[in-house]
Amino acid sequence: MDYKEFFANFKYLSSSPGIDGKIKCQAEDFIVREVIPKSMFKGNQCLIYRMKKQNWETMAAIKEIAKRIGIDYKNIGFAGTKDRHAVTYQYISICSENLESLKESIASLNIRDISLKFVGHGRPLKLGMLIGNHFQITVRDLKNPERALEETRKILKELKLKGGFPNYFGYQRFGERRVINHEVGKLLLKGDFEGAALKFLGEYTGDMMGDEARKNFLKTGDVEKALEKFPNFLRYERAMLYKYRETKSWKKAFAVLPRPIVRIFIHSYQSYLFNKVLSRRIEEGLPFNEALPGDIVCQVKKGFPIRSKTFKVTEGSLRFVNERIKRGEAMVTGPIFGFASRLADGPMGKIERGILNEEGINLDEFKMKRLSILAEAGGRRELLIKPKEFKYKAFEKGLVFRFFLPKGVYATSVMREIMKDH
């Protein structure tokens, strides 16, 4: 299954036909500029650079920079991961006891498709320490750009009445080529380590390097043969195979993976469940720009949802809450399921509990006692995306969109609703 087939399971919020077209025909078609708080520039522990890159995953770029200047990559901090197939501008902190000599080394760096601009001194950056991102996205291969322009207006008008765009987790969360992360996550939660290993090691698309080796392993389960045939660049897969050969335990084989990698699988499954809940609310015709009794809403401050500040709507508070939603001070949420999840009541509660039943998942399983990694308590996430500074215009070969989104929100989910391409 590719990501288009996968996303075909999730409903669109608008009924107008999409503009179709393609994004990411070239790196310059998807430009991302990160925004971090000014408070990050207080202090002198680190050098802060703005990194421009393309054709690099963020972590791979960080490791390459660290190797070239001779420091541990853990001394380089960043606030958010950015797409490889894009031109991205993000901030990194480089920390050391001798900042001035380090600055000289960085000035002489010459890495293809990476450039660094010194912007000041500050504190170490950590994942999540950003406000959001500005996006510039070009849609090409449109059959009729003028018609697409008119269709965009219709979609935006409809979505304005409904309160915004559906806040789906984007395809990056599930695996762009092999859409399996959520399936591996579910199998791990259920304690089916062998099933999770077969899915992670053996699932193939037919058009990726290493697919023949994956196909053979899925068919035979032959670990020795897999170690012969799996390419060296599949280092996590090979590490698991070696550990299984040594221990005959797939649980121990997963334990050799870095914890952040294992957590990606769990987070992917949580994201899949959220998307499923959101889609079901659309399917059942429930409103997004107003709350129903039993809904859980979060506060909104200066246009930014505060996911940690939530409250459940009652019949008595319904009018007050909906007035706040109209003023842009609150938003209806959906669940990021975890062991301490606070589920909605009313129609939304029925959806949430129904999906847990469909999936055969018990919230206690998110304590992950079988996995020996940190448990997932869960939380809530707003159901709508409300882009800021939204602008678009036509050119002879397509349309260009510009907008700002807060952290943790996917531009590809905004574009999916406009393009209706999957």
Side-chain angles (χ1 to χ4, degrees):
M1 184 195 306
D2 66 17
Y3 75 90
K4 289 194 175 183
E5 290 176 87
F6 173 71
F7 267 90
N9 296 310
F10 304 132
K11 302 290 181 184
Y12 297 110
L13 184 54
S14 56
S15 58
S16 301
I19 67 172
D20 208 10
K22 293 179 182 176
I23 59 174
K24 299 187 179 180
C25 295
Q26 52 204 50
E28 294 78 12
D29 289 351
F30 204 97
I31 300 173
V32 188
R33 291 182 170 86
E34 189 176 78
V35 180
I36 61 173
K38 290 179 181 176
S39 60
M40 296 312 304
F41 292 94
K42 292 179 180 176
N44 291 300
Q45 307 108 295
C46 311
L47 305 170
I48 308 291
Y49 287 85
R50 188 175 69 177
M51 174 172 71
K52 178 187 176 185
K53 68 171 185 64
Q54 64 186 68
N55 302 320
W56 286 89
E57 301 285 1
T58 297
M59 200 65 235
I62 296 294
K63 287 185 175 181
E64 185 64 23
I65 292 166
K67 184 174 81 174
R68 297 283 191 101
I69 61 177
I71 64 170
D72 190 322
Y73 74 88
K74 292 175 183 174
N75 290 332
I76 302 181
F78 57 95
T81 55
K82 297 288 180 281
D83 205 319
R84 177 180 179 176
H85 306 292
V87 176
T88 66
Y89 297 80
Q90 68 184 109
Y91 293 91
I92 63 171
S93 61
I94 305 180
C95 308
S96 169
E97 291 180 3
N98 194 339
L99 294 181
E100 287 311 308
S101 65
L102 195 61
K103 195 174 176 183
E104 290 175 18
S105 300
I106 296 165
S108 62
L109 273 181
N110 184 12
I111 305 173
R112 185 176 178 178
D113 293 333
I114 296 176
S115 62
L116 296 173
K117 181 181 179 181
F118 177 69
V119 291
H121 293 82
R123 300 189 285 130
L125 281 166
K126 293 181 181 176
L127 207 56
M129 288 181 170
L130 73 160
I131 295 170
N133 298 284
H134 288 283
F135 294 92
Q136 179 181 306
I137 300 171
T138 302
V139 182
R140 298 183 188 273
D141 290 358
L142 296 171
K143 292 174 185 173
N144 186 335
E146 284 304 315
R147 187 201 68 79
L149 198 62
E150 184 57 35
E151 204 58 58
T152 299
R153 290 191 190 103
K154 286 182 186 175
I155 292 167
L156 293 176
K157 186 177 179 181
E158 187 179 354
L159 290 175
K160 187 175 181 181
L161 291 173
K162 294 186 176 181
F165 292 77
N167 192 15
Y168 287 120
F169 284 95
Y171 64 79
Q172 303 94 319
R173 198 79 166 181
F174 307 100
E176 186 175 350
R177 300 284 295 281
R178 293 198 308 150
V179 186
I180 61 165
N181 289 351
H182 64 297
E183 295 179 295
V184 175
K186 180 178 180 178
L187 291 165
L188 289 174
L189 279 182
K190 303 299 286 183
D192 183 356
F193 297 103
E194 182 177 3
L198 286 172
K199 178 69 66 175
F200 178 56
L201 298 171
E203 192 81 9
Y204 61 94
T205 63
D207 61 354
M208 294 174 67
M209 285 181 66
D211 270 0
E212 200 56 43
R214 290 188 190 278
K215 182 179 178 181
N216 186 65
F217 177 72
L218 193 61
K219 185 178 178 181
T220 66
D222 189 330
V223 172
E224 289 296 337
K225 184 88 172 190
L227 282 167
E228 281 179 36
K229 298 294 184 181
F230 269 52
N232 287 335
F233 73 85
L234 296 177
R235 61 188 186 280
Y236 293 137
E237 288 89 337
R238 292 181 64 82
M240 281 183 64
L241 289 164
Y242 276 118
K243 191 67 176 179
Y244 180 79
R245 185 173 70 175
E246 176 192 327
T247 64
K248 297 295 184 286
S249 164
W250 285 118
K251 180 179 179 179
K252 289 178 181 175
F254 270 105
V256 304
L257 298 180
R259 281 192 175 189
I261 299 296
V262 180
R263 292 183 76 84
I264 282 172
F265 298 134
I266 307 301
H267 292 163
S268 179
Y269 185 56
Q270 290 174 304
S271 303
Y272 168 70
L273 294 177
F274 175 88
N275 281 7
K276 206 170 173 184
V277 168
L278 195 164
S279 182
R280 191 69 54 83
R281 186 168 175 121
I282 295 173
E283 197 175 344
E284 297 195 4
L286 302 181
F288 281 73
N289 59 348
E290 63 178 89
L292 300 173
D295 279 343
I296 297 176
V297 301
C298 68
Q299 290 185 29
V300 177
K301 190 172 182 181
K302 296 181 179 177
F304 291 91
I306 305 173
R307 295 168 184 163
S308 59
K309 293 190 176 179
T310 62
F311 47 96
K312 189 173 285 188
V313 183
T314 64
E315 290 282 0
S317 66
L318 184 63
R319 186 176 173 183
F320 168 74
V321 169
N322 281 328
E323 284 174 356
R324 292 196 65 184
I325 288 174
K326 282 181 184 175
R327 292 198 303 267
E329 296 171 1
M331 294 176 81
V332 180
T333 67
I336 303 296
F337 288 116
F339 70 84
S341 281
R342 183 188 185 198
L343 301 184
D345 293 324
M348 189 60 163
K350 187 177 178 183
I351 289 173
E352 293 173 11
R353 290 170 179 84
I355 281 171
L356 286 172
N357 288 335
E358 286 172 24
E359 291 285 319
I361 286 291
N362 184 310
L363 291 180
D364 278 347
E365 288 175 302
F366 286 95
K367 290 179 179 175
M368 294 187 284
K369 292 176 181 176
R370 303 180 181 100
L371 271 175
S372 302
I373 64 172
L374 290 174
E376 290 291 339
R380 305 291 297 188
R381 173 183 170 92
E382 66 283 2
L383 294 177
L384 290 175
I385 300 170
K386 296 188 176 184
K388 295 184 176 184
E389 305 164 33
F390 196 99
K391 296 176 183 176
Y392 59 99
K393 66 178 182 180
F395 68 106
E396 60 185 40
K397 293 183 180 179
L399 296 182
V400 179
F401 294 83
R402 294 183 178 88
F403 50 88
F404 174 84
L405 295 177
K407 67 178 181 180
V409 178
Y410 290 80
T412 49
S413 294
V414 171
M415 297 312 301
R416 174 183 183 264
E417 190 70 25
I418 292 171
M419 295 167 71
K420 304 282 198 308
D421 61 335
H422 55 275

